[in-house]
Amino acid sequence: MTATTGAIGTAEVTAALRRAGIGDVDDSGLARALYSSDGSLYRVLPRAVVRPRDADEVVAALAVCRELGVPLTMRGAGTSIAGNAVGTGVVVDTSRHLHRVHAIDAEARTAVVDPGVVQAALQVAARPHGLRFGPDPSTSNRCTIGGMIGNNACGSRALGYGRTSDNVVGLDVVTGTGQRLRLTSGSAPAGLEELHALAGRELATIRTELGRFGRQVSGYSLEHLLPERGFDVARALVGSEGTLAVVLGATVRLVADAPYRGLVVLGYPSMADAADATPGLLRHGPTAVEGLDERIVQRLRDVPAAVVPDLPKGAGWVIVELTGDSVAEVEATARGVLADAGALDSMVVTDVAEAAAIWRIREDGAGLAARTSDGRPAHAGWEDAAVPVESLGAYLREFEALLVQHGLQGVPYGHFGDGCVHVRIDFPFGREPDRGRAAYRAFVTDAAALVARYGGSVSGEHGDGRARSELLGSMYSPAALDLFARVKGLFDPDDVLNPGVLVRPARLDDDVRVAAAPRQRTGLALAYRHDGGDFSNAVHRCTGVGKCRAEPSGVAVMCPSWPATRQEKDTTRGRARVLQEMLAPGGPVRDWRSPEVHEALDLCLSCKGCSRDCPTGVDMASYKAEVLHQSYRRRLRPISHYTLGRLPMWSDLAARAPRLVNAVMHSRLGGRLARWGAGVDQRRDLPLFARRTFRQQWTPRPGGGAPVALWVDSFTDHFAPEVAHAAARVLEAAGYSVQVPGDDTCCGLTWITTGQLDTARRILGDTVRALAPLADAGVPIVGVEPSCTAALRSDAVELLEVAGGRAMAARVAAGTRTLAELLTATEGWTPPSLAGVEVVAQPHCHHHAVMGWATDERLLRRAGATVTRLGGCCGLAGNWGVERGHHDVSLAIAEQQLLPAVREAGPDAVVLADGFSCRTQLDQLADRPGRHLAQLLADALDRAPEEDGPEGE
């Protein structure tokens, strides 16, 4: 039966799937929205999503789809950039449950894996044996082995380790006819006699058109069926994009991991010049030769709080990775590379951390390139063409000219050693009369012709999918295309498996998500100044690269809820997809108040981690605030919005009788009632109000130093006045005369996070007007609480621009500093000694996202402390972690990095946590106090007289 999409109803499909014994079947509007897109341009709503728990459930799902004539599309992490992982029927997500590494044979150097195993997880399993899986795409910390097999993924190190097809030993698959095949390289499979005969009749076409160079990924890789290649069906299926068979399991080849790596970074006048030099570098046996353009590096510099590593002089760079058995061997090879490079400038990097920072630019390329130099969205679609490396420089020059001819911009980068170029282009989607579709089609058609003229491939890595299948005629003869169709007919005669891809392709300009998205510019509470005032542009920043699905590592924060639940709805991408569907015509998500929207946003902590860590600059905290504002404006709100969302107001009232309030709230009955009434989980302790606020205690002190305004927020004032006292002590010791602005200077953060944005705007407006004279007079404004400081630095400008107060808010934002920022910029200031102090630091998420924590770390190290900086979130995130329904996830997030690090820290280690919520989480879950930087420095000042020597010695 030929697959169809209209005759069978969704309820009938899901009922049949459940009758077949499949447990995790989801046809909800939320699931359909989440899986309507991958990392590509395309939006295709599925009927249902299946998350199989074993291979038998995959086979059962295919049987149901064959019987009903419903398309089936396989999906791993959903990072496909060509639109290979979206479909109108059943989408099968292998990443949820099928993620086991079943066996590693160190002697044979093989691994047996499920299709949903993340590439990085396989690397972790192989590392104790001194082995690794060779191919490593830039999405290696979230892409799955099954997805890599589907696309014949390559990655940066394909030059040294080969493509995925070069590293597959065997496959367990089921074809579109329902035939189960266990394929092993080097053995002739039974039941494929027709395929063998077809290949035998078409040897001339296969030999002359297929497998001409390493990055010829487009089409089917039928060169592996040649007799001289052993009729290797397993390798021929790699890169077939789920159109011929469904992968149930794989045996992959592992390689010995080199003990030492180093980078040679070469600078050239342009990208094309860098490409010209590449062929001469290959004789040195590099594992990778990558190209970068100055435009992508500048995009990274434009990211707030980004740390950009130094690069050699030039406007185009080549990164050459070398491996060896010793550092000396790597350095010797590097000298040979430098001799042949002909570069303007160069650097050799053997430090692991420094090399990782340079690689990070390349790995984030797809996201960084998603905006042009003037801020316009840039899109996939013409993403990964490849030409023989000898022609790369000439091809790049013509490609840049083609962009100019079409009035487009793009930022190229890529795997220069393999001749593969990635680029995102500012196609004018949304422009009338056809929403930019004609301009898109015209360019990619011309670009395909250009690639074909250089003997290249329209896809060199990501597969053809919906984006490029229609273009295969530009590089293949009618005979080759007919051969592809006949192979498809043998494996999947009813066109059930991923129809519209490769054979009988869908039109490349149909179902383009951004082309159909309407604008949303009116009635908004936030300015979206970097998105043209358009909420639609803002949420469409998410291109689906899926970095938010990566395992927590390093100092990144995004996205803390994903590792806690492992559900797509709890990723930044998942939430963005639901918001995109909310704006899209004819979908299951209707408006701001749709339950799908609120379910997706429920476990968003408003941590702002994505605004820093997402390479496309998604700011889900702001989007959530807008959604809550639009949903509840002039309507009854959840109880926590009235209590926790207005905490500064209630704190002012509690300050009149704090002892009585504390006694009531910490009595058994009073505490239970208070938690119930405030919407707080009963397992949470309520913080104690200070007996006297900081402002009640503070008396101005005369001083002859430069003035500084110590801006004391509501949390510090009412719950932790000792932190403000410590900050004043440190500032005075640094030679400043401290003044404290009045108590009418709240940042409105709790109103912002609960979407009470009209009130937040009024509160922030009052605060900005009170602080503006200080900023205009050049008096630094020092914030104590990171989240409140971040609100002045970012949220104030967004909120007040709508009310016409942007200029004043911008001046206050520019004048606001963290304590570390002010101290390190103070001429002649030397930190008190922290020699011998072990610091385990949990930077507040907003501190990381908006201000960056690098200045604090440098200050601590300069003072002599040993610093361990944690990433991730503490899990409390202001009011979020104490609200009913969030407790278990809050604890799971704390267990990602914070709590294990605290347990492993020495008994004398200082746990540094500037955020009030971070310290509260530590108090309640670790039974260990957190200290603010101000307290740590004040303590060191108090010790200094006892130590023979001046401060800083």
Side-chain angles (χ1 to χ4, degrees):
M1 181 184 296
T2 301
T4 182
T5 58
I8 306 298
T10 296
E12 185 176 350
V13 173
T14 55
L17 291 167
R18 292 186 177 112
R19 284 196 303 271
I22 302 170
D24 194 347
V25 179
D26 193 346
D27 63 350
S28 66
L30 177 61
R32 296 178 65 216
L34 291 170
Y35 289 85
S36 64
S37 296
D38 47 16
S40 72
L41 288 172
Y42 299 98
R43 170 189 178 246
V44 180
L45 284 165
R47 301 281 196 85
V49 176
V50 167
R51 305 178 187 94
R53 298 181 183 276
D54 54 41
D56 290 342
E57 288 196 355
V58 180
V59 174
L62 176 57
V64 169
C65 288
R66 289 179 59 236
E67 179 183 353
L68 298 180
V70 173
L72 181 142
T73 299
M74 297 297 289
R75 180 179 174 118
T79 56
S80 160
I81 295 179
N84 335 53
V86 290
T88 58
V90 173
V91 172
V92 178
D93 177 1
T94 62
S95 69
R96 184 79 171 99
H97 304 296
L98 298 180
H99 47 61
R100 289 183 58 199
V101 177
H102 291 276
I104 290 182
D105 187 331
E107 185 175 347
R109 292 187 174 182
T110 59
V112 180
V113 299
D114 284 341
V117 168
V118 171
Q119 191 265 13
L122 175 56
Q123 304 292 43
V124 170
R127 192 171 298 128
H129 304 280
L131 301 173
R132 59 166 290 144
F133 183 59
D136 59 346
S138 60
T139 55
S140 60
N141 57 5
R142 63 266 195 197
C143 72
T144 65
I145 299 298
M148 293 179 68
I149 291 169
N151 292 354
N152 197 10
C154 304
S156 299
R157 296 186 175 93
L159 194 63
Y161 301 126
R163 305 166 299 174
T164 299
S165 59
D166 301 315
N167 292 275
V168 167
V169 176
L171 292 178
D172 180 6
V173 302
V174 57
T175 71
T177 64
Q179 181 183 14
R180 183 83 172 258
L181 297 172
R182 290 178 173 84
L183 305 169
T184 305
S185 294
S187 63
L192 293 175
E193 291 77 15
E194 287 185 77
L195 179 65
H196 195 282
L198 177 60
R201 293 192 301 269
E202 299 293 338
L203 293 177
T205 299
I206 295 173
R207 285 184 175 131
T208 57
E209 297 202 42
L210 302 175
R212 293 177 289 106
F213 72 109
R215 286 301 185 110
Q216 187 180 347
V217 169
S218 284
Y220 290 138
S221 298
L222 303 182
E223 66 272 15
H224 297 296
L225 301 182
L226 291 170
E228 59 267 31
R229 299 203 185 194
F231 191 67
D232 193 333
V233 180
R235 292 181 68 183
L237 287 178
V238 177
S240 58
E241 305 182 34
T243 63
L244 302 179
V246 169
V247 176
L248 307 175
T251 302
V252 296
R253 179 178 292 109
L254 304 176
V255 297
D257 201 5
Y260 295 95
R261 297 181 184 274
L263 300 180
V264 181
V265 187
L266 305 167
Y268 294 92
S270 69
M271 279 278 281
D273 292 315
D276 289 339
T278 297
L281 307 176
L282 300 183
R283 70 183 188 87
H284 297 282
T287 52
V289 178
E290 298 292 293
L292 288 177
D293 182 85
E294 64 176 343
R295 289 165 288 185
I296 204 167
V297 176
Q298 185 57 48
R299 281 288 301 114
L300 180 60
R301 292 190 177 108
D302 292 339
V303 174
V307 178
V308 184
D310 292 330
L311 294 172
K313 290 184 296 185
W317 295 273
V318 171
I319 302 169
V320 183
E321 184 182 72
L322 305 171
T323 59
D325 293 326
S326 66
V327 173
E329 182 182 349
V330 171
E331 290 175 341
T333 308
R335 287 192 290 273
V337 170
L338 292 172
D340 290 343
L344 288 176
D345 193 13
S346 63
M347 60 189 288
V348 176
V349 179
T350 55
D351 178 77
V352 174
E354 190 178 354
I358 292 171
W359 271 120
R360 200 168 298 121
I361 303 175
R362 171 61 191 85
E363 290 165 356
D364 285 347
L368 293 171
R371 293 271 152 173
T372 62
S373 57
D374 54 4
R376 291 198 305 275
H379 307 280
W382 184 259
E383 222 298 310
D384 64 328
V387 299
V389 67
E390 297 79 11
S391 303
L392 182 58
Y395 165 74
L396 274 174
R397 291 180 178 90
E398 287 205 53
F399 180 75
E400 293 273 14
L402 186 65
L403 284 170
V404 172
Q405 177 185 329
H406 282 262
L408 299 172
Q409 288 187 43
V411 181
Y413 61 99
H415 312 298
F416 276 22
D418 291 306
C420 182
V421 178
H422 296 306
V423 67
R424 296 288 175 114
I425 299 171
D426 61 339
F427 299 116
F429 293 125
R431 188 177 68 188
E432 300 301 344
D434 64 348
R435 309 290 290 177
R437 292 182 179 90
Y440 171 53
R441 173 175 287 277
F443 176 82
V444 297
T445 301
D446 287 351
L450 174 64
V451 165
R453 186 153 50 81
Y454 278 96
S457 177
V458 293
S459 174
E461 182 164 40
H462 297 144
D464 298 307
R466 292 171 177 268
R468 289 177 286 277
S469 293
E470 194 184 354
L471 300 173
L472 291 178
S474 65
M475 59 176 288
Y476 288 121
S477 69
L481 296 179
D482 180 64
L483 177 58
F484 293 163
R486 284 185 285 164
V487 171
K488 170 79 168 174
L490 292 177
F491 280 91
D492 182 32
D494 294 331
D495 211 16
V496 170
L497 298 180
N498 216 7
V501 172
L502 288 170
V503 173
R504 293 179 290 280
R507 289 175 55 86
L508 58 82
D509 51 355
D510 284 348
D511 302 316
V512 175
R513 181 182 64 250
V514 287
R519 300 292 173 231
Q520 182 71 52
R521 291 193 174 103
T522 59
L524 299 173
L526 297 175
Y528 305 102
R529 52 201 169 95
H530 299 300
D531 296 289
D534 189 344
F535 183 76
S536 181
N537 277 350
V539 299
H540 280 92
R541 279 180 173 266
C542 178
T543 60
V545 295
K547 190 177 179 184
C548 47
R549 282 179 58 110
E551 291 295 317
S553 63
V555 300
V557 171
M558 180 186 73
C559 175
S561 54
W562 155 253
T565 69
R566 300 286 171 182
Q567 295 191 51
E568 177 72 16
K569 73 178 180 67
D570 298 320
T571 65
T572 305
R573 178 179 72 177
R575 296 176 183 118
R577 290 296 186 238
V578 173
L579 292 175
Q580 290 167 7
E581 276 298 311
M582 180 188 80
L583 300 172
V589 184
R590 303 298 183 187
D591 53 37
W592 301 100
R593 294 174 58 79
S594 291
E596 296 88 355
V597 171
H598 289 265
E599 185 177 349
L601 290 173
D602 180 51
L603 297 187
C604 170
L605 285 73
S606 298
C607 69
K608 288 187 176 288
C610 51
S611 68
R612 168 64 184 89
D613 299 328
C614 173
T616 64
V618 169
D619 183 0
M620 194 54 62
S622 294
Y623 309 161
K624 180 177 182 177
E626 185 76 62
V627 167
L628 294 175
H629 170 79
Q630 300 291 344
S631 298
Y632 294 112
R633 191 181 189 192
R634 301 189 183 97
R635 293 186 178 95
L636 189 66
R637 290 176 167 270
I639 187 65
S640 62
H641 289 199
Y642 298 107
T643 53
L644 301 174
R646 301 178 182 181
L647 183 59
M649 182 182 72
W650 302 120
S651 297
D652 286 341
L653 292 174
R656 300 176 183 179
R659 295 189 183 191
L660 175 61
V661 172
N662 287 336
V664 172
M665 291 204 312
H666 288 81
S667 67
R668 185 172 182 178
L669 178 59
R672 290 184 65 84
L673 289 173
R675 283 188 287 270
W676 175 82
V680 173
D681 190 283
Q682 289 293 339
R683 291 166 287 184
R684 284 290 184 181
D685 295 329
L686 298 174
L688 288 166
F689 288 98
R691 291 187 177 183
R692 296 180 67 207
T693 69
F694 172 78
R695 284 190 172 86
Q696 289 171 345
Q697 300 174 47
W698 173 258
T699 54
R701 296 191 280 266
V708 63
L710 180 61
W711 178 53
V712 181
D713 57 277
S714 298
F715 300 105
T716 304
D717 195 26
H718 290 284
F719 296 103
E722 67 278 5
V723 171
H725 282 294
R729 164 88 168 92
V730 171
L731 289 169
E732 288 172 340
Y736 287 99
S737 176
V738 177
Q739 55 185 277
V740 177
D743 58 5
D744 57 344
T745 53
C746 176
C747 72
L749 180 65
T750 58
W751 283 271
I752 294 172
T753 57
T754 52
Q756 302 178 72
L757 297 184
D758 290 333
T759 304
R761 183 178 297 108
R762 176 179 56 77
I763 292 171
L764 259 175
D766 291 343
T767 298
V768 165
R769 281 187 287 275
L771 297 178
L774 294 168
D776 293 341
V779 176
I781 302 164
V782 175
V784 180
E785 168 62 34
S787 58
C788 299
T789 307
L792 275 191
R793 292 266 283 259
S794 62
D795 297 311
V797 181
E798 277 290 308
L799 272 168
L800 296 184
E801 180 167 323
V802 175
R806 179 190 175 188
M808 186 184 298
R811 295 198 303 275
V812 170
T816 301
R817 300 283 185 273
T818 66
L819 180 63
E821 288 172 343
L822 180 67
L823 292 175
T824 55
T826 299
E827 186 175 354
W829 180 80
T830 301
S833 176
L834 295 175
V837 177
E838 177 191 357
V839 174
V840 177
Q842 173 68 63
H844 191 286
C845 297
H846 291 192
H847 198 155
H848 162 82
V850 177
M851 289 84 73
W853 199 74
T855 303
D856 296 67
E857 185 169 5
R858 285 194 297 269
L859 185 157
L860 290 166
R861 294 190 187 280
R862 179 183 170 197
T866 301
V867 182
T868 300
R869 178 184 176 180
L870 304 180
C873 178
C874 74
L876 195 66
N879 55 287
W880 181 89
V882 303
E883 291 176 355
R884 277 196 294 268
H886 296 163
H887 181 268
D888 292 344
V889 176
S890 175
L891 265 62
I893 292 170
E895 286 288 354
Q896 290 167 16
Q897 292 197 48
L898 175 61
L899 295 183
V902 171
R903 286 192 289 266
E904 292 171 10
D908 296 327
V910 174
V911 182
L912 187 68
D914 283 2
F916 173 70
S917 59
C918 304
R919 296 195 300 275
T920 301
Q921 187 83 314
L922 281 164
D923 289 341
Q924 297 191 5
L925 301 184
D927 195 25
R928 187 161 181 168
R931 303 286 282 171
H932 191 285
L933 176 64
Q935 294 174 295
L936 184 61
L937 294 176
D939 290 345
L941 287 171
D942 292 340
R943 288 194 304 268
E946 302 171 10
E947 302 167 356
D948 295 330
E951 292 176 10
E953 287 190 356

